[in-house]
Amino acid sequence: MQFGTHALPTDLLERQFVPFLPVRSLLRLSACSKSCRVALSSTNKSLDVLFWKARYLSRWKTSKSAPPAAADDEKWYDAYKRRHLLDATVRKKLRSPRHGVSASKDPVWQYLIVEGGLDIFNRLYTFASYGSRSSDNNPSEEEEFALDLGPVDDFERDVARSAIVAINRIDVISRWKGLVVSEEQGGRSSSAATIHIEDGAKLLARFYVGTERVVDAFSGGRIDHLEKTIDSSLNGLAHRLCVRLLARFENMSEPDALTRHAVTDEDGQEFISLVHSEEDHQFSHRAILEEMQHIFRGTGGEDTNGLGGNAEDYYSYKNSLLDQVLNQKLGIPITLSIIYAAVVRRALGVVLDPVGLPGHFILGTPCSGDNGDDRRLFIDAFRGGEMLNLDEVQSIVASYQVPWDDSFLEAIPYRNVWARMVNNLRACHRRNTILDLFNEHNPARRAMGDDGFTNLLRRVPPEELTELKFQHAMSLSVSVLDPDFVGSMEVEHMVRFVRPVFDGTICSR
């Protein structure tokens, strides 16, 4: 006599089979057995909530998309099944370009990137990082789902990395648009109070992640990993500032400060912050700036390097990217000022004013003149956090042959800060004369002809050529982040700015 799952009582399936079978087997059983479908359905509330919810959150624990979009209405089993089928579709689509289908023109890819986006990010990361992690030799159950069809080859891995870059770019553009609109509508005094000067800079750093940096920049399949890494560095500097101030003015040791003032970030890392301290700490603006000067110049007796201006390679685009500046400890005035302002705010809650001078960027203490300071102070982060008075600020402006105007000292909106960063990046790319030859309308390019241009590229070392191609693609793409442009952009228009990824243009960094 044949015996199948359809002959088993539902309650037996619920208690004896469902809790112990792999999810993959459960999905297959539910597709062929009515009894299993009943056992796995959401009519069994405890099973639905306790089992499928737990499995969903476990399998996609690093996903930034919301777990079931309508958790109150959508069954966890149905949500799990939807994501599982979407993951399976991803693996098939990784192979579609083999058959002559350009990914940038494939409507299914368009759907996966724009609509599936963050839902497939984790699965794509599994393919993109295949062979890069030791866990590939002993994959988890969740990784086995992605690898059902066998090992990932180089072609699939490269397509997955391109798709990740595309999804990341669309997510950055969408969030950038939200920042710009919120700051414009609310200003820093109302609904935009939670918007900080570094928010746009962090997104800009993410926008510049190319295929070669995918595995590290999105470690663990987290699309926000790079932002969290930047946050960790900024929190570390804020910690050092608090330690220095507490030791200088309250004779407090670092262990005592940790006991009394430690806070925890989203990833569970502790650092010292006095923003919400119940104790009354009276630190003048001048004292804060003096300690920041020690941190930026690396002169505080700590075994750490400071941060300063990159005068030798001023026009490198990397000087405009927050993660690169924090790593190499060198940058240009605007990025160093953003780091400086973010550290002071995270440590003490003091919001410094961004001051966009002609040709230079500095910071200013709040105009209120409270906290024991009678006069407004200015900070040149590019020169190691040097403190400036009004006469020195006016001298900087005069050096650019620009007549003085008192409006130069006004705090500019964050939107203008981010726009200035985008313009700096475009200017950096334009200064590269070889890079400009990629423009077919360049007179020099037209004069040498296609053959001459091809011969020129053959003389460029492979690594430099890859970097040039990346910069060329980014010089075209970064314009989408111009605040005057992105505010009116709809999601479907964003796809235009990720197509070069699929066509092999963006293949580096």
Side-chain angles (χ1 to χ4, degrees), residues 383-507:
R383 294 180 174 83
E386 179 180 349
M387 284 184 279
L388 308 172
N389 57 35
L390 179 58
D391 290 340
E392 290 168 322
V393 173
Q394 291 175 333
S395 295
I396 292 175
V397 174
S399 69
Y400 290 95
Q401 308 301 313
V402 177
W404 176 259
D405 191 302
D406 289 341
S407 64
F408 291 156
L409 299 180
E410 295 176 2
I412 63 175
Y414 293 159
R415 173 189 190 280
N416 293 7
V417 176
W418 305 327
R420 193 159 172 164
M421 295 184 75
V422 172
N423 289 333
N424 284 344
L425 282 163
R426 288 191 294 199
C428 289
H429 296 313
R430 284 197 300 266
R431 288 182 66 89
N432 190 321
T433 54
I434 296 179
L435 184 65
D436 197 39
L437 292 176
F438 281 87
N439 180 3
E440 295 179 355
H441 302 292
N442 184 315
R445 163 74 179 273
R446 296 173 68 178
M448 71 171 56
D450 291 341
D451 290 340
F453 181 63
T454 300
N455 291 331
L456 173 65
L457 294 183
R458 286 174 180 165
R459 296 198 297 270
V460 179
E463 280 293 320
E464 292 184 22
L465 182 59
T466 300
E467 174 68 13
L468 283 172
K469 288 182 177 180
F470 174 76
Q471 286 200 55
H472 172 63
M474 296 312 300
S475 68
L476 302 175
S477 299
V478 73
S479 297
V480 72
L481 297 181
D482 185 328
D484 292 330
F485 175 56
V486 74
S488 59
M489 177 177 287
E490 300 299 331
V491 174
E492 56 267 22
H493 298 149
M494 298 177 188
V495 180
R496 291 187 313 155
F497 294 89
V498 301
R499 283 182 176 172
V501 178
F502 294 124
D503 295 331
T505 304
I506 298 179
C507 53

Side-chain angles (χ1 to χ4, degrees), residues 204-223:
L204 193 56
R206 256 184 61 194
F207 192 77
Y208 266 72
V209 173
T211 53
E212 291 301 314
R213 293 179 58 205
V214 158
V215 175
D216 293 333
F218 305 120
S219 180
R222 291 182 53 173
I223 197 170

Side-chain angles (χ1 to χ4, degrees), residues 304-375:
T304 55
N305 296 323
L307 294 95
N310 191 354
E312 294 184 3
D313 194 12
Y314 189 89
Y315 292 102
S316 168
Y317 72 93
K318 295 180 181 180
N319 291 329
S320 293
L321 306 178
L322 218 54
D323 60 319
Q324 301 287 343
V325 174
L326 286 166
N327 287 335
Q328 64 189 15
K329 309 296 184 185
L330 293 171
I332 55 176
I334 193 166
T335 42
L336 290 168
S337 294
I338 289 172
I339 291 171
Y340 191 111
V343 170
V344 172
R345 193 200 71 254
R346 290 169 186 239
L348 302 159
V350 176
V351 179
L352 298 175
D353 294 331
V355 179
L357 301 176
H360 200 54
F361 196 95
I362 62 175
L363 296 167
T365 53
C367 295
S368 59
D370 59 358
N371 206 22
D373 292 316
D374 296 325
R375 294 185 303 170

